[in-house]
Amino acid sequence: MPFGTIRVQSLLRAVIPEAHSGPFEMIIVMQRGASEPQIEHLTKYLASRGILAERMDGHEQTVIGIVGSNGGYDIASLSAMSGVQEVVRVSTPYRLSARTSHVEDTVIKMPDGTCIGGNAPSIVIAGPCSVESEDQLRRTAECIRKAGVRFIRGGAFKPRTSPYSFQGLGFDGLELLKKVSEEFGLFIVSEVMEPAHVPAIAEFTDIVQIGSRNMQNYPLLRQIGNIRKPAMLKRGAGATIEEWLMAAEYILAGGNDKVVLCERGIRSFETSLRFTPDLGAVPVVKKLSHLPVIVDPSHGTGRREFVSSIARAAIAVGADGVMVEVHPDPDRALSDGAQSLTFELFEEMMGELVRVADAVNRPLLVEQFHAAAQHSVPVR
Ligand code: PEP
Ligand code: MN
């Protein structure tokens, strides 16, 4: 049943006893005593915009149901038109990312069959905030691979608050990621910031990351829509879930249906953590959308001492995975050292995640890599 249908049905019944409620996108309730010229002005306005509307006259009130449009209307403008009492949205403004348009969970299949989403085991993506050197990356890759992780993260193009901070190694960093990931059988997750870089970065990566600062960079989202590599869309720190799903819509509308959402904490009045991890977003997104959703407790908390507890909670609440920052020497990291786990803390967290995942009956993807055999085998 589309979102909000119950409310609309009862509203329609209250206004027009025998009204049928069709597959409306939204309904416009006219004021009692709205004049015929006001109603006509509105219906002509809708028609002039190519919006299909159905007029229903009750004994005392008229309701106009919008049955078809390309979404090109503005609710605030409609609400402000003379004679309009209320505009009620019936269906969600996002379509392709909505659960109603795609009942089954989207499952993203990596080239070797590893899956993200649906009933697939929850994944762990781990690695440094920034790629800094071959040695840093190789040591991190070895640590996470030993713990059974299949996805390495590492920023080569970094969105830094200050233009004077380390900006990343750029394509040299991506070359390092490629080299090390091939050695250890890891999938690469790395961020793209510029629309022009999308095709090239997609060549280097297995999952292209769109950072929270770029969640509403529409030219970038459109470019991501043009590629066929999976894309991980981080939630903007100030974005509502609806805005986040609308951003995903840009990618899906371009024809790229492999979108993974990543909750990474939102800005709130609370200042004790870097951001406020919004774990409630996981079940909400699962209800509203078919897209996989993972949680990033590193950026969400900003402090390594809290990363593991939020990661455990994320798995328990039904996330399709977690993404954490790990560094061989966090105190010397060129970015986000305070939230980066040491190897020791990372191994400890993995053990805890496996237990939580077992407790909620959704295993964690933990695979050992046999370099000689060049393939992965499940540990458990
Ligand atoms: C990151 O993943 O390194 C990053 C910059 O994250 P966010 O976009 O969530 O701040
Ligand atoms: Mn970071």
Side-chain angles (χ1 to χ4, degrees), residues 16 22 40-41 51 66-67 70 72 124 136 139 146 168 200 204 219 229 238 272 317 328 340-341 357-358 369:
I16 309 167
E40 259 180 38
H41 174 71
I51 298 169
I66 306 286
V67 257
N70 56 7
V124 175
Q136 171 233 26
R139 285 168 67 197
K146 263 197 200 147
F204 277 100
K229 276 273 165 81
S272 53
V317 83
S340 299
L341 296 174
D358 282 347
F369 184 63

Side-chain angles (χ1 to χ4, degrees), residues 129 153 158-159 191 209 211-213 234 264 299 325:
C129 177
R153 62 146 290 145
K158 294 302 302 175
E191 177 161 354
Q209 173 175 326
S212 61
R213 289 158 190 80
K234 297 190 90 173
R264 47 79 73 205
H299 293 85
E325 289 183 340

Side-chain angles (χ1 to χ4, degrees), residues 317-344:
V317 83
D320 295 298
V322 292
M323 179 165 84
V324 294
E325 289 183 340
V326 188
H327 194 285
D329 187 358
D331 292 344
R332 284 184 225 278
L334 296 181
S335 59
D336 287 349
Q339 67 197 33
S340 299
L341 296 174
T342 59
F343 291 171
E344 205 182 351

Side-chain angles (χ1 to χ4, degrees), residues 164-199:
Y164 312 117
S165 301
F166 176 60
Q167 302 287 307
L169 297 181
F171 284 103
D172 291 344
L174 290 173
E175 296 276 7
L176 291 179
L177 271 169
K178 190 109 191 149
K179 184 172 173 193
V180 170
S181 68
E182 273 169 11
E183 251 175 68
F184 290 91
L186 288 158
F187 294 117
I188 300 172
V189 182
S190 198
E191 177 161 354
V192 60
M193 295 200 294
E194 286 189 39
H197 283 166
V198 170

Side-chain angles (χ1 to χ4, degrees), residues 60-174:
E60 294 177 25
Q61 226 169 340
T62 294
V63 165
I64 295 166
I66 306 286
V67 257
S69 76
N70 56 7
Y73 47 73
D74 172 27
I75 291 195
S77 310
L78 290 172
S79 310
M81 288 179 79
S82 76
V84 172
Q85 177 184 304
E86 193 183 4
V87 180
V88 184
R89 197 187 270 295
V90 182
S91 58
T92 55
Y94 44 87
R95 299 167 185 200
L96 300 171
S97 52
R99 176 72 77 182
T100 44
S101 74
H102 192 296
V103 178
E104 299 294 318
D105 286 331
T106 282
V107 177
I108 293 169
K109 214 169 185 176
M110 304 306 291
D112 73 343
T114 298
C115 290
I116 308 172
N119 295 321
S122 300
I123 61 156
V124 175
I125 303 170
C129 177
S130 302
V131 176
E132 297 169 4
S133 69
E134 187 166 339
D135 177 63
Q136 171 233 26
L137 208 55
R138 181 167 288 108
R139 285 168 67 197
T140 310
E142 195 178 7
C143 159
I144 65 169
R145 203 62 183 91
K146 263 197 200 147
V149 167
R150 294 299 320 279
F151 297 82
I152 190 166
R153 62 146 290 145
F157 292 89
K158 294 302 302 175
R160 304 305 302 279
T161 302
S162 165
Y164 312 117
S165 301
F166 176 60
Q167 302 287 307
L169 297 181
F171 284 103
D172 291 344
L174 290 173

